[in-house]
Amino acid sequence: MTLDNFNFKGKKAFVRVDFNVPMDENQKITDDTRIRAAMPTLKKIIADGGRLIIASHMGRPKKNPDSKFSLKVIVARVSELLGVDVKFANDALGAETEKMIAELKDGEALLLENLRFYAEEEGKPRLPETATEEEIAAAKKEVKEGQKELAKKLASYADVYVNDAFGTAHRAHASTALIADSFDADHKMFGYLMNKEVSAVDTLMDNPARPFTAIMGGSKVSTKIEIIENLLTKVDNLIIAGGMTYTFVKAQGGKIGLSICEDDKLDLALEIIEKAKKNNVNLVMAVDAKIADAFSNDANTDYVAVDEIPEGWEGMDIGPKTAEIFAEVIKNSKTILWNGPTGVFEFENFTEGSRAVGVAIVEATKNGAFSLVGGGDSVACVNKFGIAEEMSYVSTGGGALLEAIEGRVLPGIAAIKG
Ligand code: AMP
């Protein structure tokens, strides 16, 4: 079922959203992007005359209740954005909450307290560090059983289930995946945000327009290896950038000075180079680097060949020749994935490379390419450069997006798609 094809009039809808917004020490929301991202779905249900039950997690509470992680503090913001006075259930479970749900009228909304107050939501036991192996095993079994119960209980609240929480789609939690088993195919669906994310990933992974270029930046190869392996079977061009460059350079005998390097991944880097050749993937790597004599924005800088970094200096960003090469490849692409900056973009003096990549993607997108930016730091990059609007799609789900690109089946998606 799709959201647009369903009339919510008089129906109770359980909508799982990701309202895990960042807050300051006074529990003031510092960025409400996630709340705003769920609004189209919530507004459609309210406009239909549906009865909205909104559920989310917040942070990683370790007990129930845990006031530091209460969703109560976001009720006002949700109400303001939704244009409806949202009621709040102090507990996701219990007679009082069930009464509030039963009394919900058409066009009204109720936000449940943080689902993760219950360990059963994640299905992970909370045990003291002193717990024995047997205690851990028993608690794991118990919490898994409890997880099924919780999913059934939450499902009993509603006539229809909507999942709009892409950020947690890679987790098989009670409210993100297990709950869907209690609804037939006509009564479970993705929200608009989830739908956009899923179709963006599908555009990229199934039948992308070619040439398909992925730009993988960031600090380490080790954290990106599964994505790189999967992309080597999909892309035409793989641009390697960021800190992981130097592991590749060292593996090929280059001099990298103090640059960040994973010495235990040198063989892996060579394997990636071989695999790219075998798969006819054009592996594009830096030829020059902007180097610094300290890991600081105020360090002395210079530009050198990427494999000629002097002792005492480190590669902090790509150099201008590399930026030009990368931009050329990007501009000639029809599908583009960008994950990870080309350098230490947090320092103003080392943002040029990432900016050049961003600008090239903007140009390619204007010329009809599909561009997807995902993973925390590249999203921060496009926001910093003010070009987020000019990308085809900027993903809201860091971990979930990366797992999807690794080629994994996301439980939250499979639970609805089947
Ligand atoms: P990741 O979370 O793996 O995407 O890595 C992002 C981080 O990589 C950012 O904080 C960057 O500062 C860092 N990074 C990118 N290039 C370099 C580099 N040449 N040296 C050290 N860190 C880098």
Side-chain angles (χ1 to χ4, degrees), residues 190-207:
F190 295 139
Y192 290 128
L193 172 67
M194 186 85 159
N195 220 7
K196 273 200 284 185
E197 296 273 2
V198 172
S199 14
V201 172
D202 286 351
T203 305
L204 212 72
M205 304 311 273
D206 310 334
N207 227 355

Side-chain angles (χ1 to χ4, degrees), residues 235-258:
V235 300
D236 303 291
N237 306 301
L238 179 62
I239 296 179
I240 298 278
M244 71 174 100
T245 305
Y246 307 100
T247 302
F248 283 87
V249 174
K250 185 165 177 184
Q252 295 173 95
K255 294 198 188 82
I256 62 164
L258 290 177

Side-chain angles (χ1 to χ4, degrees), residues 218-219 223-224 242-243 246 260 295 315-316 340-346 377:
S219 50
T223 57
K224 307 266 161 110
Y246 307 100
I260 184 172
F295 190 77
M316 298 283 275
T342 65
V344 187
F345 80 107
E346 295 91 337
D377 277 329

Side-chain angles (χ1 to χ4, degrees), residues 1-13 41 43-51 106-107 159-162 186-189 192:
M1 180 53 71
T2 66
L3 208 62
D4 282 330
N5 289 335
F6 194 89
N7 185 353
F8 287 87
K9 172 84 185 146
K11 302 279 187 221
K12 282 190 263 151
T41 297
K43 283 187 174 167
K44 141 83 181 164
I45 297 170
I46 292 288
D48 272 7
R51 304 170 184 195
D106 293 1
D159 305 299
V160 53
Y161 169 67
V162 181
D186 289 338
H187 292 86
K188 56 182 166 189
M189 62 200 79
Y192 290 128

Side-chain angles (χ1 to χ4, degrees), residues 10-211:
K11 302 279 187 221
K12 282 190 263 151
F14 184 100
V15 186
R16 175 58 156 100
V17 293
D18 180 1
F19 282 173
N20 185 24
V21 288
M23 287 199 262
D24 64 17
E25 61 281 6
N26 301 315
Q27 284 189 295
K28 266 219 149 71
I29 301 168
T30 53
D31 179 357
D32 66 359
T33 308
R34 287 181 171 162
I35 302 181
R36 282 187 286 109
M39 279 303 141
T41 297
L42 303 183
K43 283 187 174 167
K44 141 83 181 164
I45 297 170
I46 292 288
D48 272 7
R51 304 170 184 195
L52 202 50
I53 304 157
I54 311 168
S56 177
H57 72 284
M58 163 76 80
R60 296 190 175 278
K62 295 275 173 282
K63 55 183 187 189
N64 181 19
D66 192 341
S67 60
K68 232 174 52 211
F69 298 105
S70 175
L71 282 169
K72 193 167 189 168
V73 293
I74 70 164
V75 176
R77 187 76 188 116
V78 180
S79 299
E80 191 183 327
L81 288 167
L82 194 55
V84 165
D85 264 332
V86 176
K87 300 171 204 296
F88 185 69
N90 284 310
D91 192 329
L93 300 179
E96 186 58 31
T97 300
E98 287 178 38
K99 187 162 169 272
M100 290 178 92
I101 291 170
E103 287 171 357
L104 266 184
K105 297 194 187 68
D106 293 1
E108 287 188 347
L110 171 74
L111 175 66
L112 302 182
E113 180 56 287
N114 192 347
L115 293 169
R116 284 197 192 161
F117 281 2
Y118 290 93
E120 288 78 9
E121 162 65 0
E122 293 180 88
K124 274 197 229 133
R126 288 177 191 154
L127 288 162
E129 277 176 20
T130 51
T132 62
E133 295 276 317
E134 292 85 62
E135 282 167 339
I136 295 172
K140 271 191 182 158
K141 197 163 166 241
E142 192 183 332
V143 81
K144 282 286 168 204
E145 284 307 311
Q147 191 183 33
K148 286 183 209 151
E149 291 306 310
L150 175 65
K152 277 194 195 133
K153 186 77 213 168
L154 297 175
S156 75
Y157 291 169
D159 305 299
V160 53
Y161 169 67
V162 181
N163 189 350
D164 213 14
F166 183 71
T168 46
H170 56 319
R171 308 277 182 229
H173 293 170
S175 71
T176 62
L178 276 72
I179 186 174
D181 290 344
S182 299
F183 296 88
D184 65 35
D186 289 338
H187 292 86
K188 56 182 166 189
M189 62 200 79
F190 295 139
Y192 290 128
L193 172 67
M194 186 85 159
N195 220 7
K196 273 200 284 185
E197 296 273 2
V198 172
S199 14
V201 172
D202 286 351
T203 305
L204 212 72
M205 304 311 273
D206 310 334
N207 227 355
R210 296 197 178 272

